[in-house]
Amino acid sequence: MKIAKEAYDLRRGGFTLVELLVVIAIIGVLVGLLLPAVQAAREAARRMSCSNNFKQIGLGIHNYHAAFNQLPKHGTGTFRSSIGSEEGGNPTTGGGQNGMQLSYLVGLMPFIEQQAMWESIANPSRSNVSKTTMTGSWSAMGPGPSQPEYVPWATDISTLRCPSDPGRGLPAMGRTNYAACLGDALRMQAWGSFRFDASAGTWIENSTRAEVTRTTFRGAFGFRKDYAFQDILDGLANTIICGEITTHLGDRDIRTEAPNSSSDQWSAARTGIFLNPKFAETSNWKDPSRPLFWCNGGAGCTNPTLLTGELRKRGFRWADALPIYTGFTTILPPNSETVLETNDGSSCMGSASSRHQGGAHVLMGDGAVKFITDSIEAGNSRAMPVDALSDAGRPSPYGLWGFLGTRANREVISNEF
């Protein structure tokens, strides 16, 4: 009797199958409720880290200005000696010139705790990505920023990367998520005022181009232009100087992969994005069922021809001053589509963008980092950008977003944004 009672008590102390299933179900519900909170906490931490990176860049820009009385130049470096000369150098013999095409980030290196990187760029070196023997040295300040064998250009720098952006590795070179603000216009965006003079055998500033760029270079940075804080007449606290951008992941994202609008910045009759910034929407290029992606054979849309070759993708080269890589405009709101003027990428309408939910970070002239939402007041997105000399001083048609992107239009910003 005693043995039977003990066996009975042992059976009474265990779990039934139903009880076990109920416990498992409760645990599953709790995990399901907890995981989104964990993901949200992780994203909040990544977003804070991204903001801290931007603060470091802002501090670097201010320290650079204190040292040189100007902002780091966007479109700088060494001139090539003649048209058609090799800018990229050679992985074995070195050499190369960068054609004044280095981004503002290159000059910023010593001011964001990248002194070793700066030393490797500023001096001749004999190392390449493939680690083969070199018989000659790369030129001081490096070859063209498209040279994949030049170690500095191919290096990912953690300060230049947003932790929320998963883009890594080839076919990109060194990526960046932080771009220079080019304002609210497009013309001469990647030409600047310099032009090759065959008789002089070098590049010189052209007076006609200089006059145009004085009208259309309305942002804190301009290609091959020197700017200082004293040029930001709207006030440093009211002017965006840099913005966050996403890098391309190979997925037809409208923010990172660009078709061209077949326009011509030299033509008197404007077409494409020079006439209408919403050219892609007018052309029905976006997938209506997936608005953040270009049409790819879906119903109700037209496939655009996306650029291939030459790796013209957003954020793919941190050292390259071409706007597709390290520039952005305040024409369309954050996380809008990116469209190039032509296949050579000489003008690019690409806004700020990010992998964060609902907006993107921007760096103000006073060093403050703000999170701008996609719904910021952006005026008339179909208005033609400032283009001709007769447009000089015209208020930005792109609302508060356009006002923040221009440095000297004397727009008054009365509300917190």
Side-chain angles (χ1 to χ4, degrees):
M1 290 293 293
K2 185 178 180 180
I3 294 174
K5 184 176 184 301
E6 289 177 350
Y8 175 76
D9 290 342
L10 183 62
R11 289 195 301 271
R12 290 284 295 172
F15 289 107
T16 66
L17 180 60
V18 173
E19 289 172 331
L20 186 61
L21 291 175
V22 169
V23 170
I24 292 173
I26 292 172
I27 292 173
V29 170
L30 292 175
V31 170
L33 293 173
L34 182 63
L35 279 178
V38 171
Q39 289 294 96
R42 286 178 175 173
E43 170 54 25
R46 289 192 293 263
R47 180 168 153 179
M48 180 64 70
S49 178
C50 177
S51 175
N52 288 339
N53 284 345
F54 234 162
K55 286 181 183 293
Q56 181 74 12
I57 291 172
L59 182 61
I61 289 174
H62 275 258
N63 286 337
Y64 185 102
H65 193 280
F68 300 109
N69 293 317
Q70 69 173 58
L71 296 171
K73 195 169 185 177
H74 191 60
T76 187
T78 52
F79 280 117
R80 58 180 177 176
S81 58
S82 62
I83 289 180
S85 64
E86 180 58 58
E87 291 185 69
N90 184 280
T92 300
T93 59
Q97 302 293 329
N98 52 58
M100 292 284 285
Q101 200 172 306
L102 302 185
S103 75
Y104 78 104
L105 295 169
V106 175
L108 207 57
M109 287 294 103
F111 299 91
I112 56 172
E113 302 299 323
Q114 293 292 331
Q115 183 66 29
M117 175 65 74
W118 171 253
E119 293 293 341
S120 67
I121 295 169
N123 296 290
S125 62
R126 289 196 178 188
S127 60
N128 54 33
V129 171
S130 58
K131 301 187 184 303
T132 56
T133 302
M134 293 187 66
T135 59
S137 299
W138 298 111
S139 301
M141 294 308 298
S146 62
Q147 174 54 262
E149 285 290 330
Y150 187 60
V151 175
W153 301 163
T155 302
D156 262 342
I157 299 170
S158 59
T159 307
L160 306 183
R161 297 304 317 277
C162 169
S164 293
D165 191 316
R168 294 289 185 277
L170 297 175
M173 292 167 59
R175 297 184 188 230
T176 181
N177 292 104
Y178 307 113
C181 181
L182 305 178
D184 64 345
L186 296 168
R187 192 176 181 197
M188 305 294 291
Q189 197 182 67
W191 290 88
S193 57
F194 285 87
R195 190 170 189 171
F196 185 78
D197 188 301
S199 60
T202 187
W203 290 72
I204 61 173
E205 191 166 25
N206 178 271
S207 60
T208 301
R209 290 189 176 191
E211 189 174 16
V212 172
T213 57
R214 279 197 296 271
T215 298
T216 61
F217 283 13
R218 290 156 58 98
F221 289 91
F223 196 66
R224 296 174 180 159
K225 280 282 190 180
D226 293 319
Y227 289 118
F229 286 150
Q230 67 183 17
D231 298 309
I232 302 178
L233 304 181
D234 290 351
L236 297 181
N238 297 326
T239 304
I240 296 170
I241 59 173
C242 297
E244 186 180 2
I245 60 172
T246 53
T247 70
H248 182 57
L249 303 180
D251 54 1
R252 297 180 73 89
D253 191 315
I254 64 171
R255 303 168 299 175
T256 65
E257 190 168 16
N260 76 78
S261 65
S262 300
S263 60
D264 180 4
Q265 67 170 313
W266 304 107
S267 172
R270 290 292 184 234
T271 59
I273 54 175
F274 277 92
L275 183 63
N276 173 20
K278 296 297 286 182
F279 181 83
E281 188 173 286
T282 302
S283 301
N284 202 29
W285 283 347
K286 293 194 286 187
D287 190 332
S289 62
R290 303 168 72 231
L292 277 180
F293 296 89
W294 296 116
C295 184
N296 191 20
C301 58
T302 303
N303 287 10
T305 302
L306 302 178
L307 299 186
T308 58
E310 295 193 55
L311 306 180
R312 296 202 185 279
K313 312 297 182 187
R314 208 80 165 111
F316 264 23
R317 300 175 187 165
W318 71 267
D320 198 323
L322 285 181
I324 185 69
Y325 303 119
T326 57
F328 81 101
T329 57
T330 56
I331 296 175
L332 299 183
N335 289 305
S336 295
E337 63 268 23
T338 297
V339 182
L340 293 172
E341 172 218 342
T342 56
N343 285 338
D344 65 2
S346 54
S347 286
C348 172
M349 186 192 64
S351 190
S353 57
S354 80
R355 303 289 175 184
H356 311 304
Q357 187 67 32
H361 289 108
V362 296
L363 174 67
M364 308 304 292
D366 63 353
V369 176
K370 304 278 190 178
F371 189 79
I372 302 295
T373 65
D374 299 344
S375 59
I376 187 172
E377 195 275 306
N380 180 9
S381 294
R382 296 182 181 276
M384 181 177 177
V386 168
D387 183 75
L389 297 179
S390 58
D391 285 337
R394 176 161 66 92
S396 177
Y398 309 117
L400 176 59
W401 181 232
F403 290 178
L404 292 171
T406 54
R407 70 179 187 279
N409 265 22
R410 307 296 178 90
E411 296 105 343
V412 175
I413 300 172
S414 58
N415 297 323
E416 181 67 20
F417 56 91

